[in-house]
Each structure stands twice: as C-alpha cells, then as structure tokens.
Coordinates of all heavy atoms in Angstrom, one line a residue:
H1 N 2.5 0.4 19.8 CA 3.9 0.5 19.4 C 4.3 -0.8 18.7 O 5.2 -0.7 17.9 CB 4.8 0.8 20.6 CG 4.8 2.2 21.0 ND1 5.6 3.1 20.3 CD2 4.1 2.9 21.9 CE1 5.4 4.3 20.8 NE2 4.5 4.2 21.8
E2 N 3.7 -1.9 19.0 CA 4.0 -3.1 18.2 C 3.6 -3.0 16.8 O 4.3 -3.3 15.8 CB 3.4 -4.3 18.9 CG 4.0 -4.7 20.2 CD 3.4 -5.8 21.0 OE1 2.4 -6.4 20.5 OE2 4.0 -6.2 22.0
Y3 N 2.4 -2.5 16.5 CA 1.9 -2.2 15.2 C 2.8 -1.1 14.5 O 3.1 -1.2 13.3 CB 0.5 -1.8 15.1 CG -0.5 -3.0 15.2 CD1 -1.3 -3.2 16.3 CD2 -0.6 -3.9 14.1 CE1 -2.2 -4.3 16.3 CE2 -1.5 -4.9 14.1 CZ -2.3 -5.1 15.3 OH -3.2 -6.2 15.3
R4 N 3.2 -0.1 15.2 CA 4.1 0.9 14.7 C 5.4 0.3 14.2 O 5.9 0.6 13.2 CB 4.3 2.0 15.7 CG 3.2 3.0 15.8 CD 3.4 4.0 17.0 NE 4.6 4.7 16.9 CZ 4.7 6.1 16.6 NH1 3.6 6.8 16.5 NH2 5.9 6.6 16.5
L5 N 5.9 -0.6 15.1 CA 7.2 -1.3 14.7 C 7.0 -2.1 13.5 O 7.8 -2.0 12.5 CB 7.6 -2.2 15.9 CG 8.6 -1.6 16.9 CD1 8.8 -2.7 18.0 CD2 9.9 -1.2 16.3
F6 N 6.0 -2.9 13.4 CA 5.8 -3.8 12.2 C 5.7 -2.9 11.0 O 6.3 -3.2 9.9 CB 4.5 -4.6 12.4 CG 4.3 -5.5 11.2 CD1 4.9 -6.7 11.0 CD2 3.4 -5.0 10.2 CE1 4.6 -7.5 9.9 CE2 3.2 -5.7 9.0 CZ 3.8 -7.0 8.9
S7 N 4.9 -1.9 11.0 CA 4.6 -1.1 9.8 C 5.8 -0.3 9.3 O 5.8 0.2 8.2 CB 3.4 -0.2 10.1 OG 3.7 0.8 11.0
Q8 N 6.8 -0.2 10.2 CA 8.0 0.6 9.8 C 9.2 -0.4 9.6 O 10.4 0.1 9.6 CB 8.3 1.7 10.8 CG 7.2 2.7 10.9 CD 7.5 3.8 11.9 OE1 8.2 4.8 11.6 NE2 7.1 3.6 13.1
G9 N 9.0 -1.7 9.6 CA 10.0 -2.6 9.3 C 10.8 -3.0 10.5 O 11.9 -3.6 10.4
G10 N 10.3 -2.8 11.7 CA 11.0 -3.2 12.9 C 10.7 -4.5 13.5 O 11.2 -4.9 14.6
A11 N 9.7 -5.2 12.9 CA 9.3 -6.5 13.4 C 8.9 -7.4 12.2 O 8.4 -6.8 11.2 CB 8.3 -6.5 14.5
D12 N 9.0 -8.7 12.3 CA 8.6 -9.6 11.2 C 7.2 -10.1 11.3 O 6.5 -10.4 10.3 CB 9.5 -10.7 11.1 CG 11.0 -10.3 10.8 OD1 11.2 -9.9 9.7 OD2 11.8 -10.4 11.7
F13 N 6.7 -10.2 12.5 CA 5.3 -10.7 12.7 C 4.8 -10.3 14.1 O 5.5 -10.0 15.0 CB 5.2 -12.2 12.5 CG 5.8 -13.0 13.6 CD1 5.0 -13.5 14.7 CD2 7.1 -13.4 13.6 CE1 5.6 -14.2 15.7 CE2 7.7 -14.2 14.6 CZ 6.9 -14.6 15.6
L14 N 3.4 -10.3 14.1 CA 2.7 -10.0 15.4 C 1.6 -11.1 15.5 O 1.0 -11.5 14.5 CB 2.0 -8.6 15.3 CG 2.8 -7.4 14.9 CD1 1.9 -6.2 14.9 CD2 3.9 -7.2 16.0
L15 N 1.5 -11.6 16.7 CA 0.4 -12.6 17.0 C -0.4 -12.0 18.2 O 0.2 -11.7 19.2 CB 1.1 -13.9 17.4 CG 0.1 -15.0 17.9 CD1 -0.8 -15.5 16.7 CD2 0.8 -16.2 18.5
T16 N -1.7 -11.9 18.0 CA -2.5 -11.3 19.1 C -3.1 -12.4 20.0 O -3.3 -13.5 19.6 CB -3.7 -10.5 18.5 OG1 -4.7 -11.4 18.0 CG2 -3.2 -9.6 17.3
G17 N -3.3 -12.0 21.2 CA -3.9 -12.9 22.2 C -5.4 -12.6 22.4 O -6.1 -13.3 23.1
N18 N -5.9 -11.5 21.9 CA -7.3 -11.1 22.0 C -7.7 -10.3 20.7 O -6.8 -10.0 19.9 CB -7.6 -10.3 23.2 CG -6.9 -9.0 23.3 OD1 -6.7 -8.3 22.2 ND2 -6.5 -8.5 24.5
L19 N -8.9 -10.0 20.6 CA -9.4 -9.2 19.4 C -10.1 -8.0 19.8 O -11.0 -7.5 19.1 CB -10.3 -10.1 18.6 CG -9.6 -11.2 17.7 CD1 -10.7 -11.8 16.8 CD2 -8.5 -10.6 16.9
N20 N -9.7 -7.4 21.0 CA -10.3 -6.1 21.3 C -10.2 -5.1 20.2 O -9.1 -4.9 19.7 CB -9.7 -5.5 22.6 CG -9.9 -6.3 23.8 OD1 -11.0 -7.0 23.9 ND2 -9.0 -6.3 24.7
P21 N -11.3 -4.6 19.7 CA -11.2 -3.7 18.5 C -10.4 -2.5 18.7 O -9.7 -1.9 17.8 CB -12.6 -3.4 18.2 CG -13.4 -3.6 19.4 CD -12.7 -4.7 20.1
W22 N -10.3 -2.0 20.0 CA -9.5 -0.8 20.3 C -8.0 -1.1 20.2 O -7.2 -0.2 20.0 CB -9.9 -0.2 21.6 CG -10.0 -1.2 22.7 CD1 -9.0 -1.7 23.5 CD2 -11.2 -1.8 23.2 NE1 -9.5 -2.6 24.4 CE2 -10.9 -2.7 24.2 CE3 -12.6 -1.6 22.8 CZ2 -11.9 -3.4 24.9 CZ3 -13.5 -2.4 23.5 CH2 -13.2 -3.2 24.5
D23 N -7.7 -2.3 20.3 CA -6.3 -2.7 20.2 C -5.9 -3.0 18.7 O -4.7 -2.8 18.4 CB -6.0 -4.0 21.0 CG -6.0 -3.8 22.5 OD1 -5.6 -2.7 22.9 OD2 -6.4 -4.7 23.2
H24 N -6.8 -3.5 17.9 CA -6.4 -4.1 16.6 C -7.0 -3.5 15.4 O -6.5 -3.8 14.3 CB -6.6 -5.6 16.7 CG -5.9 -6.3 17.8 ND1 -4.5 -6.3 18.0 CD2 -6.4 -6.9 18.9 CE1 -4.2 -6.9 19.1 NE2 -5.3 -7.3 19.7
A25 N -8.2 -2.8 15.5 CA -8.8 -2.4 14.3 C -7.9 -1.4 13.5 O -7.8 -1.5 12.3 CB -10.2 -1.7 14.6
A26 N -7.3 -0.5 14.2 CA -6.4 0.5 13.5 C -5.2 -0.2 13.0 O -4.7 0.0 11.9 CB -6.1 1.7 14.4
G27 N -4.6 -1.0 13.9 CA -3.3 -1.6 13.6 C -3.3 -2.6 12.4 O -2.4 -2.7 11.6
A28 N -4.4 -3.3 12.4 CA -4.6 -4.3 11.3 C -4.6 -3.6 9.9 O -4.0 -4.0 8.9 CB -5.8 -5.1 11.5
L29 N -5.4 -2.5 9.8 CA -5.4 -1.7 8.6 C -4.0 -1.1 8.3 O -3.6 -1.2 7.1 CB -6.4 -0.6 8.7 CG -6.4 0.4 7.6 CD1 -7.0 -0.2 6.3 CD2 -7.2 1.7 7.9
I30 N -3.4 -0.6 9.3 CA -2.1 0.1 9.1 C -1.0 -1.0 8.6 O -0.2 -0.7 7.7 CB -1.6 0.8 10.4 CG1 -2.4 2.1 10.5 CG2 -0.1 1.0 10.4 CD1 -2.3 2.7 11.9
A31 N -1.1 -2.2 9.2 CA -0.1 -3.2 8.8 C -0.4 -3.6 7.4 O 0.5 -3.8 6.6 CB -0.3 -4.4 9.8
R32 N -1.7 -3.8 7.0 CA -2.0 -4.2 5.7 C -1.6 -3.1 4.7 O -1.0 -3.4 3.6 CB -3.5 -4.5 5.6 CG -3.9 -5.1 4.2 CD -5.3 -5.7 4.3 NE -6.3 -4.6 4.6 CZ -7.0 -4.6 5.7 NH1 -6.9 -5.5 6.6 NH2 -7.9 -3.6 5.8
E33 N -1.9 -1.9 5.0 CA -1.5 -0.8 4.0 C 0.0 -0.6 3.9 O 0.5 0.0 3.0 CB -2.2 0.5 4.5 CG -3.7 0.5 4.3 CD -4.2 0.4 2.8 OE1 -3.4 0.9 2.0 OE2 -5.3 -0.1 2.6
A34 N 0.7 -1.1 4.9 CA 2.2 -1.0 4.9 C 2.8 -2.2 4.1 O 4.0 -2.3 4.0 CB 2.8 -1.0 6.3
G35 N 1.9 -3.0 3.5 CA 2.3 -4.1 2.7 C 2.2 -5.5 3.4 O 2.6 -6.5 2.8
G36 N 1.8 -5.5 4.6 CA 1.7 -6.8 5.4 C 0.5 -7.6 5.0 O -0.4 -7.2 4.3
Y37 N 0.6 -8.9 5.4 CA -0.4 -9.9 5.1 C -1.1 -10.1 6.5 O -0.4 -10.5 7.4 CB 0.2 -11.2 4.6 CG -0.8 -12.1 4.0 CD1 -1.4 -12.0 2.8 CD2 -1.2 -13.2 4.8 CE1 -2.3 -12.9 2.3 CE2 -2.2 -14.2 4.3 CZ -2.7 -14.0 3.0 OH -3.6 -14.9 2.6
V38 N -2.4 -9.9 6.5 CA -3.1 -9.8 7.8 C -4.3 -10.8 7.7 O -5.2 -10.6 7.0 CB -3.6 -8.4 8.1 CG1 -4.4 -8.4 9.4 CG2 -2.4 -7.4 8.1
K39 N -4.2 -11.8 8.5 CA -5.3 -12.8 8.5 C -5.5 -13.4 10.0 O -4.5 -13.4 10.7 CB -5.0 -14.0 7.6 CG -5.1 -13.7 6.1 CD -6.5 -13.7 5.6 CE -6.5 -13.5 4.1 NZ -7.9 -13.5 3.5
M40 N -6.7 -13.9 10.2 CA -6.9 -14.6 11.5 C -6.0 -15.9 11.4 O -5.7 -16.4 10.3 CB -8.3 -15.0 11.7 CG -9.2 -13.7 11.8 SD -8.8 -12.8 13.3 CE -9.2 -14.0 14.6
L41 N -5.6 -16.4 12.5 CA -4.7 -17.6 12.6 C -5.4 -18.8 11.9 O -4.7 -19.7 11.4 CB -4.4 -17.9 14.0 CG -3.2 -18.9 14.3 CD1 -2.0 -18.4 13.5 CD2 -2.9 -19.0 15.7
D42 N -6.7 -18.8 11.8 CA -7.4 -19.9 11.1 C -7.6 -19.6 9.6 O -8.2 -20.4 8.9 CB -8.8 -20.1 11.7 CG -9.7 -19.0 11.7 OD1 -9.4 -18.0 11.0 OD2 -10.8 -19.0 12.3
G43 N -7.0 -18.5 9.2 CA -7.0 -18.2 7.7 C -8.2 -17.3 7.3 O -8.2 -16.9 6.1
E44 N -9.1 -17.0 8.2 CA -10.2 -16.2 7.9 C -9.8 -14.7 7.9 O -8.8 -14.3 8.5 CB -11.4 -16.4 8.8 CG -12.0 -17.8 8.8 CD -12.6 -18.1 7.4 OE1 -13.3 -17.3 6.9 OE2 -12.3 -19.2 6.9
A45 N -10.6 -13.9 7.2 CA -10.3 -12.4 7.1 C -10.6 -11.8 8.5 O -11.5 -12.2 9.2 CB -11.2 -11.8 6.1

C-alpha cells in the first residue's frame, strides 16, 4: 500500500529498511513507471 500510494500521488517518498524482493521488486518497477526516481540510498541502481 505504500508503493500504491506513491504511484498514485499520495506520498512524496519511500525509504526502505530492507531489500526483501517480495516487498520491493514489484513496487520499485511500479514507482519508476509512474514517473518516480528509484535508486539505492548510495546512488546505485
């Protein structure tokens, strides 16, 4: 629901505390395709 919010304009940013792929693989793509900028906090892809 946090990624759903972001991708529909309901939030300005998301910061993750882990990288479990079941939590973030889909959301990262959806956020990027919604126009968002998605990078690791260290700047890596």
